Amino acid sequence: MEIEHVRSRFIKHFDGTTGTIYASPGRINLIGEHTDYNGGFVFPGAIDKGIMAEIKPNGTGKVLAYSIDLKDYIEFGLNEEDAPRTSWARYLFGVCREIIKRGGKIGGFNTAFAGDVPLGAGMSSSAALESTFAFALNDLFDLGIDKFELARIGQATEHNYCGVKCGIMDQFASIFGKQGNLIRLDCRSLEYEYYPFDPQGYKLVLLDTVVKHELASSAYNRRRESCERVAQKLNVEFLRDATAEQLEAIKSDISEEDYKRAAYVIGEKQRVLDVSDALGKGDYETVGQRMYETHDGMSKLYEVSCEELDFLNGIAKESGVTGSRVMGGGFGGCTINLVKEELYDAFIARAQEAYKAKFGRSPKVYDVVIGDGARKISD
């Protein structure tokens, strides 16, 4: 993302003035999918793609915002009744409102922003957008909000203004990201630990199916409701506290669908802990094995995969790739693949050729570089 690209559009739309430039990244997640809202563990890392925004307070009670990528301009006030209908603007409005609800005194501002997180690829462009503005407004208006609360502001924006009952992982990774490190996050306690990630002899690569099935947000919320029903039946706060044995004991008292969802989540909790141990030992074969197990669970138990994702996962397995799985909420987006360097070129060529032969288009390829979290770029 080029600073000059964002600045030139800001100058053009706001009478030749300049503001302050901020950025926040998208994220990958090595393992731990759909565990965040179940109080479990996740293993994300910030990436070198994100959202960049130039922002300048304008001394009014209005936000004047220009989306560079969409070539769309909108104005809105800061009161609840001023909520814009345009979907991208609701992220900005939600962040403003969540700050105000917490007692933050903010005013209107001018902004132009752009991003290079591929949309619909499961790298959380929405969290990058929320984190950019939460971090920026905290800085510009000297609010003194801590980083944990900035992540919660982004999460609450999703819940209250965008209709997605997401967990905390995406916003946490976008705020707390650290170059060259993955983060093991306990989504209940918010305790976290950085794990240096420099797998010698391996590459981490995303293959984007270039599909996004529309049922994603409603299906996501239904799965969350399944998990909450089982947790209530087991008399635990989160499925993170449940064991496979406890789940088996109530199997006849819950629907088959709820059972399958809970079985996946309970298994995934352990897989994340196994990966933590394996990374500490440099044991990437175990990391890869757990990734394949996660894909299997997401496909057969949580049922958030799709034909395209399963196809790419199968190609990875046939090509000797160390680990591969669907990444993100599912229903499209990317597989994340841990590949030995000597197999990399052959795997990518085979995946592109086979996928195009079956689906009529090539998957997009994104090499993963682990980057820093939300930050000020320049005054």
Side-chain angles (χ1 to χ4, degrees), residues 276-312:
S276 302
D277 293 341
L279 281 178
K281 299 171 188 167
D283 175 7
Y284 291 102
E285 294 304 309
T286 294
V287 172
Q289 189 180 336
R290 295 296 176 269
M291 290 170 72
Y292 278 118
E293 290 167 8
T294 291
H295 184 88
D296 205 44
M298 288 182 78
S299 181
K300 297 182 174 68
L301 295 174
Y302 224 64
E303 297 180 284
V304 293
S305 189
C306 60
E307 183 185 8
E308 295 90 346
L309 289 164
D310 288 343
F311 183 81
L312 286 175

Side-chain angles (χ1 to χ4, degrees), residues 27-28 33 117-124 205-214 216 295 298 304-313 324-337 355 359 361-366:
R27 62 101 190 98
I28 56 101
E33 219 66 82
V117 185
L119 297 177
M123 286 182 257
S124 210
V205 62
L206 306 180
L207 291 183
D208 186 354
T209 60
V210 205
V211 297
K212 191 67 183 171
H213 296 289
E214 280 307 309
H295 184 88
M298 288 182 78
V304 293
S305 189
C306 60
E307 183 185 8
E308 295 90 346
L309 289 164
D310 288 343
F311 183 81
L312 286 175
N313 181 259
S324 176
R325 68 175 192 84
V326 50
M327 186 189 76
F331 306 105
C334 294
T335 60
I336 181 169
N337 304 272
Y355 191 85
F359 298 107
R361 61 189 178 280
S362 295
K364 292 181 179 174
V365 180
Y366 307 114

Side-chain angles (χ1 to χ4, degrees), residues 292 315-324 337-340 343 347:
Y292 278 118
I315 292 289
K317 198 171 279 186
E318 291 165 15
S319 303
V321 168
T322 302
S324 176
N337 304 272
L338 183 64
V339 192
K340 283 182 177 167
L343 297 177
F347 165 57

Side-chain angles (χ1 to χ4, degrees), residues 181-241:
N181 287 263
L182 299 179
I183 313 165
R184 192 185 80 182
L185 170 66
D186 181 330
C187 293
R188 179 168 62 188
S189 69
L190 295 186
E191 293 175 330
Y192 65 98
E193 186 176 349
Y194 289 107
Y195 278 71
F197 186 73
D198 183 22
Q200 297 297 318
Y202 295 86
K203 294 181 83 164
L204 207 53
V205 62
L206 306 180
L207 291 183
D208 186 354
T209 60
V210 205
V211 297
K212 191 67 183 171
H213 296 289
E214 280 307 309
L215 62 146
S217 61
S218 61
Y220 177 99
N221 290 341
R222 281 205 310 276
R223 277 153 183 76
R224 183 167 184 154
E225 288 158 10
S226 272
C227 294
E228 289 167 352
R229 278 194 297 271
V230 176
Q232 190 173 18
K233 189 79 176 171
L234 288 168
N235 200 28
V236 295
E237 184 183 3
F238 293 112
L239 277 184
R240 174 255 182 84
D241 298 312

Side-chain angles (χ1 to χ4, degrees), residues 55-121:
I55 306 174
K56 184 178 185 180
N58 59 25
T60 75
K62 279 201 155 187
V63 174
L64 283 57
Y66 181 66
S67 168
I68 296 168
D69 299 329
L70 298 175
K71 297 183 173 59
D72 195 14
Y73 175 82
I74 196 162
E75 298 181 9
F76 56 82
L78 294 171
N79 298 315
E80 200 65 39
E81 61 270 19
D82 299 324
R85 291 185 179 172
T86 306
S87 58
W88 66 262
R90 292 185 71 83
Y91 291 100
L92 277 60
F93 178 76
V95 168
C96 293
R97 287 300 306 161
E98 291 298 333
I99 288 174
I100 291 166
K101 287 178 196 175
R102 288 159 173 78
K105 300 277 193 287
I106 63 171
F109 55 89
N110 301 338
T111 185
F113 68 93
D116 59 358
V117 185
L119 297 177

